[in-house]
Amino acid sequence: MERVPILKIGDVLLVSIQVDLQDQTVLALQEDLAERIVATGAHGVIIDITAVDIVDSFIGRMFATIAAMSRLMDAETVVVGMRPAVAITLVELGLSLGGVRTALDLEEGMRLLGAEPPTAALPTAVPATPGRDGAGAAVADAP
């Protein structure tokens, strides 16, 4: 059975589902996530389902269960990256995912939780200054 990785970003746990969701995988995720919330004291959980093509009623209910469980442990849940076909399927199954907030992407999900999305430390360009020959020389600040 494959396990879904749970990453810690600040005080938010990121669950990025990149495998086919089988019932046992989702049950294991629920247990693993509960343990990680307690161990880390996370206040937010983001479940990234960008790679999920198909959901069934069990998996849909498990998302709602995970959100309820997280809320009991003082962590809010946001599902990000939901494809239109997945949203349509959830509606057709009559699953509202009560208590689960949604966002289009990870950045928006982090904002909903009041967390800053991680940014890479990129060098910033300094405006070019003309040299003796009139050509500009650009320099970058090191991080």
Side-chain angles (χ1 to χ4, degrees):
M1 173 181 62
E2 293 187 67
R3 298 282 255 218
V4 176
I6 302 170
L7 306 173
K8 185 175 183 301
I9 302 173
D11 59 353
V12 173
L13 296 177
L14 172 62
V15 178
S16 182
I17 300 174
Q18 302 293 319
V19 298
D20 288 333
L21 290 175
Q22 305 299 322
D23 293 355
Q24 290 299 329
T25 306
V26 176
L27 289 171
L29 172 60
Q30 181 178 341
E31 288 180 31
D32 293 347
L33 188 57
E35 290 173 7
R36 288 292 303 272
I37 290 170
V38 170
T40 63
H43 91 274
V45 174
I46 295 178
I47 302 174
D48 183 356
I49 62 171
T50 304
V52 175
D53 293 323
I54 300 170
V55 295
D56 60 17
S57 60
F58 178 76
I59 292 169
R61 283 193 310 273
M62 288 309 294
F63 286 149
T65 300
I66 287 171
M69 173 199 67
S70 298
R71 206 171 29 257
L72 286 173
M73 292 186 279
D74 199 28
E76 187 178 351
T77 301
V78 177
V79 173
V80 302
M82 187 178 301
R83 294 175 183 232
V86 170
I88 290 167
T89 301
L90 291 173
V91 170
E92 288 174 349
L93 293 171
L95 299 172
S96 64
L97 299 184
V100 179
R101 297 176 75 183
T102 59
L104 292 177
D105 58 31
L106 179 59
E107 273 188 51
E108 185 60 29
M110 295 288 285
R111 282 191 201 96
L112 283 175
L113 293 174
E116 283 297 315
T119 56
L122 299 176
T124 54
V126 175
T129 55
R132 277 194 228 171
D133 61 358
V139 292
D141 292 334

